[in-house]
Amino acid sequence: MALQAATQKMVAEFDYPASDVNKGVKEFLREMDEGLGETGTTMSQIPTYVTAVPNGKEKGLYLAVDLGGTNFRVCSIMLKGDTTFSLVQSKVAIPKELMVAKTSQELFSFLAKQIELFLEKHHNDHFEATVRRRRTASASEGYKDQEYFQLGFTFSFPVQQVGINKGYLIRWTKGFDIKDTVGKDVCSLLQDEINALQLPVKVAALVNDTVGTLMARSYTSPNRTSTLLGAIFGTGTNGAYVEKLDQVKKLSIGESSKDYDQTTGDMIINTEWGSFDNHLSALPNTPYDDALDKESNNPGIQMFEKRISGMFLGEILRRALLVLANNTEAAFCSDVDSSKNDIRSTASIGPNSTLYKQWGLDTSFLSVVVGDTTPTLKIVRQALEKDLDIDAASYEDAVTVKALAYAVGRRAARLSAVAIGAIVLKSHRLETDDVIDVGVDGSLVEYYPNFEEMIREALREIPEIGPMGERKIQIGIAKDGSGVGAALIAWSAAQRYSGSSDESNEAETPSDPTNPASNANVDTVADPNRRPSLGQKIKHSFRRSISGLLGKNDNEASPST
Ligand code: BGC
């Protein structure tokens, strides 16, 4: 009984009622406007300079790399010129020590090395040809631009972007902490290391993962609907959306050069909503949130992200469970004798349990536990044993763990609705459109049971949206969209550099590209032609929806923007 009462009390601490959701939406809208007007605000609202419009006929082989919170992915994407593509990719976990390396060079040389390995493995013909050419090339001649792969660099951290392939790191997030990188142009850091390896690769575009997700979702979205928002709910959280250029007031007060296409009237904005309400005027705050933040490597920063994303939810739950374990009256996982335990044993927490260690509980634990529908909660108990070295947990203990894991996840989903709801309202599309498309990606939205449904429930509680508006909001997974999105943006950038009006863009392709689809030794090959639903959607919607995304119709789409 004591445990039940203590659990209920704790679960209530994670309540985030409708009134708070609405307060959150108002503050979110205020911070969005503030961020569009000036720099240095809580929510950065970073202009991405993505306004160029691919027209669906582009051809060429592009590289894309993605430095996320956990993995580094390298992929090549063959745009086939008929609006289909093939993609080859490989992925490595980022070594923990590199996330907190002493110098940027340690991290970026590792990244360049992975690109080299990828080219060697998957594009050996081109790699070899380039190596041979390099040996014979005269120093003065150098390389011709055509010899280069154009690379889209998905860098999933806050960057002050000042051009399509230039951006200075504002701060690290998600456990990265390399002081020396802050304030530096991350494209140059990568390019320098690529050059040191003499690789034929040009970093052509800098892309946040949310922007890539938005681009990719936009051309695969059902019913040719242009996408409003790309959002990540994974290790970190963030969103990028389509904003009217005239709303981005800080651009007109000299934040940037005017070196971007203004004809579309729109620009994609990377909100960096992880830092929404760092001053906690509207966000919920429990003792567990507070302790997590104070002991993190960036206290006071990314406060929204610290309540929503995969990097943090396990840690919030761990801290809550630890408080319960230390409450002798509650007797969590500590039976006086076996009569108190439904499996006639006595529960115990191993002395080396990671329950006692910071970051000792992975967020995947929450998904597993919440998904357990067995009558005896045996999956919860297995997970307790495996992940936390808790032996013979009773049914009551398991009920507690499931209830708390649910409460933490539900609050995260309802907070996510604040961001999505505010952006939908700001766009005014509810007034005009039948469908408002949102592309999402990330482990939480993919694996936490009913995450989307819980978001929807909260969206209905926002009076300006309500059940009618909520039904118009279409949320779809854009799995690994950042790769294709980055390639598309690299394509657009390459067009601009060359000033080419050649629709096929063959001048931008490497001279002898290997076709990834024909390479048998690949880590993964995704060919839309082999996946009818995705393939068909791409076929029909690539040109229109990218155009729509950027506010142009097909006839206006210009390949040379
Ligand atoms: C970063 C964002 C990124 C998000 C999702 C956050 O920590 O600040 O730039 O988009 O994680 O990966």
Side-chain angles (χ1 to χ4, degrees):
M1 274 316 276
L3 179 56
Q4 202 184 6
T7 304
Q8 275 171 5
K9 197 160 158 243
M10 213 173 238
V11 163
E13 290 181 88
F14 290 100
D15 272 356
Y16 187 56
S19 54
D20 288 356
V21 170
N22 283 292
K23 188 171 163 201
V25 169
K26 287 199 177 62
E27 176 61 12
F28 202 98
L29 285 166
R30 191 194 69 73
E31 290 186 24
M32 281 178 88
D33 272 340
E34 183 184 60
L36 290 173
E38 53 190 306
T39 50
T41 52
T42 290
M43 222 156 76
S44 305
Q45 295 281 72
I46 300 167
T48 60
Y49 301 91
V50 177
T51 64
V53 185
N55 68 4
K57 290 187 182 168
E58 44 287 322
K59 260 189 196 166
L61 182 61
Y62 289 88
L63 278 184
V65 295
D66 184 347
L67 182 70
T70 319
N71 296 309
F72 182 63
R73 287 193 304 144
V74 186
C75 48
S76 58
I77 292 115
M78 174 65 88
L79 301 172
K80 292 184 178 174
D82 60 357
T83 71
T84 67
F85 66 87
S86 308
L87 183 147
V88 186
Q89 71 163 324
S90 64
K91 184 156 90 171
V92 288
I94 304 157
K96 288 261 180 295
E97 64 276 12
L98 288 186
M99 296 180 174
V100 292
K102 291 241 155 14
T103 62
S104 313
Q105 202 205 352
E106 288 168 62
L107 174 67
F108 284 86
S109 61
F110 170 82
L111 305 186
K113 187 73 201 160
Q114 302 313 308
I115 298 173
E116 181 177 54
L117 292 172
F118 180 86
L119 289 179
E120 244 174 319
K121 184 169 176 192
H122 295 303
H123 297 282
N124 202 35
D125 288 358
H126 180 64
F127 186 79
E128 285 288 305
T130 311
V131 171
R132 275 200 303 277
R133 185 183 146 79
R134 193 160 63 217
R135 285 196 201 108
T136 58
S138 76
S140 60
E141 186 191 6
Y143 304 112
K144 286 185 188 149
D145 235 17
Q146 293 96 300
E147 299 291 324
Y148 282 74
F149 278 100
Q150 305 289 330
L151 176 140
F153 182 15
T154 303
F155 183 77
S156 308
F157 300 90
V159 157
Q160 194 61 47
Q161 199 153 352
V162 293
I164 196 79
N165 68 345
K166 202 177 183 61
Y168 304 103
L169 178 66
I170 300 172
R171 59 180 176 276
W172 285 110
T173 59
K174 296 179 283 200
F176 278 71
D177 190 15
I178 309 168
K179 305 236 163 7
D180 159 57
T181 321
V182 176
K184 292 199 176 137
D185 172 19
V186 292
C187 288
S188 302
L189 289 173
L190 182 60
Q191 188 71 65
D192 288 351
E193 297 307 319
I194 286 172
N195 294 349
L197 293 176
Q198 295 188 297
L199 300 177
V201 174
K202 171 172 179 166
V203 182
L206 178 62
V207 187
N208 187 269
D209 51 356
T210 55
V211 179
T213 300
L214 172 54
M215 294 294 276
R217 170 72 188 175
S218 187
Y219 73 81
T220 61
S221 86
N223 315 322
R224 296 181 180 168
T225 313
S226 75
T227 303
L228 170 67
L229 167 67
I232 303 281
F233 301 100
T235 309
T237 185
N238 187 18
Y241 73 105
V242 183
E243 182 58 277
K244 291 265 161 286
L245 205 43
D246 61 10
Q247 292 284 302
V248 196
K249 306 232 164 49
K250 60 187 172 187
L251 285 180
S252 58
I253 50 179
E255 179 180 86
S256 70
S257 69
K258 290 282 176 289
D259 184 25
Y260 57 90
D261 173 30
Q262 299 180 34
T263 56
T264 61
D266 288 334
M267 185 179 276
I268 295 174
I269 299 293
N270 167 14
T271 64
E272 284 299 334
W273 73 37
S275 255
F276 163 58
D277 197 27
N278 278 344
H279 48 288
L280 297 185
S281 71
L283 287 179
N285 198 24
T286 66
Y288 327 105
D289 296 308
D290 202 44
L292 177 152
D293 177 52
K294 291 212 164 74
E295 290 171 39
S296 69
N297 61 13
N298 53 357
I301 290 168
Q302 300 291 108
M303 299 304 248
F304 195 51
E305 177 164 89
K306 282 175 180 159
R307 284 152 180 77
I308 292 183
S309 77
M311 167 118 195
F312 304 99
L313 297 191
E315 178 65 2
I316 296 175
L317 178 63
R318 184 194 71 82
R319 285 174 182 273
L321 293 177
L322 188 57
V323 168
L324 270 187
N326 289 334
N327 172 352
T328 40
E329 217 179 293
F332 172 63
C333 294
S334 63
D335 307 299
V336 181
D337 62 59
S338 59
S339 70
K340 302 273 182 289
N341 186 312
D342 65 311
I343 47 173
R344 298 284 173 260
S345 183
T346 51
S348 63
I349 305 174
N352 295 323
S353 166
T354 53
L355 182 64
Y356 303 116
K357 297 201 178 75
Q358 190 185 20
W359 310 118
L361 191 58
D362 199 89
T363 296
S364 56
F365 177 89
L366 277 74
S367 301
V368 170
V369 159
V370 172
D372 184 3
T373 51
T374 63
T376 55
L377 294 184
K378 82 175 173 216
I379 295 169
V380 177
R381 298 198 230 199
Q382 267 165 13
L384 284 171
E385 197 175 325
K386 185 168 134 300
D387 294 356
L388 288 176
D389 193 20
I390 294 180
D391 196 41
S394 69
Y395 177 71
E396 214 188 352
D397 294 327
V399 168
T400 290
V401 172
K402 185 172 171 183
L404 281 169
Y406 177 72
V408 171
R410 182 157 190 267
R411 189 186 67 166
R414 293 175 66 79
L415 284 164
S416 308
V418 166
I420 296 174
I423 288 173
V424 166
L425 290 178
K426 173 127 181 46
S427 75
H428 295 288
R429 290 198 191 184
L430 278 176
E431 295 145 33
T432 52
D433 295 9
D434 291 338
V435 178
I436 295 150
D437 193 57
V438 175
V440 292
D441 196 8
S443 47
L444 209 57
V445 67
E446 255 197 287
Y447 302 122
Y448 189 97
N450 298 322
F451 199 76
E452 181 185 330
E453 191 31 58
M454 293 189 291
I455 291 179
R456 291 190 171 281
E457 190 190 11
L459 286 172
R460 289 192 288 272
E461 293 166 16
I462 301 167
E464 298 86 343
I465 296 179
M468 289 247 297
E470 179 268 316
R471 274 198 292 276
K472 285 187 176 184
I473 301 171
Q474 167 177 283
I475 301 178
I477 298 270
K479 182 85 185 135
D480 295 335
S482 56
V484 181
L488 280 165
I489 297 170
W491 177 88
S492 307
Q495 288 293 94
R496 293 193 66 209
Y497 293 137
S498 69
S500 163
S501 59
D502 173 6
E503 289 187 332
S504 73
N505 189 31
E506 278 171 321
E508 263 60 54
T509 64
S511 55
D512 182 22
T514 317
N515 184 347
S518 66
N519 188 341
N521 291 319
V522 295
D523 298 17
T524 15
V525 177
D527 186 336
N529 289 322
R530 286 187 229 143
R531 297 161 60 197
S533 57
L534 179 65
Q536 274 163 359
K537 285 173 206 158
I538 290 166
K539 202 166 179 162
H540 297 301
S541 67
F542 185 168
R543 178 173 175 173
R544 281 169 194 274
S545 49
I546 288 280
S547 305
L549 166 70
L550 295 164
K552 282 192 166 190
N553 64 38
D554 289 347
N555 300 332
E556 289 167 334
S558 154
S560 58
T561 47

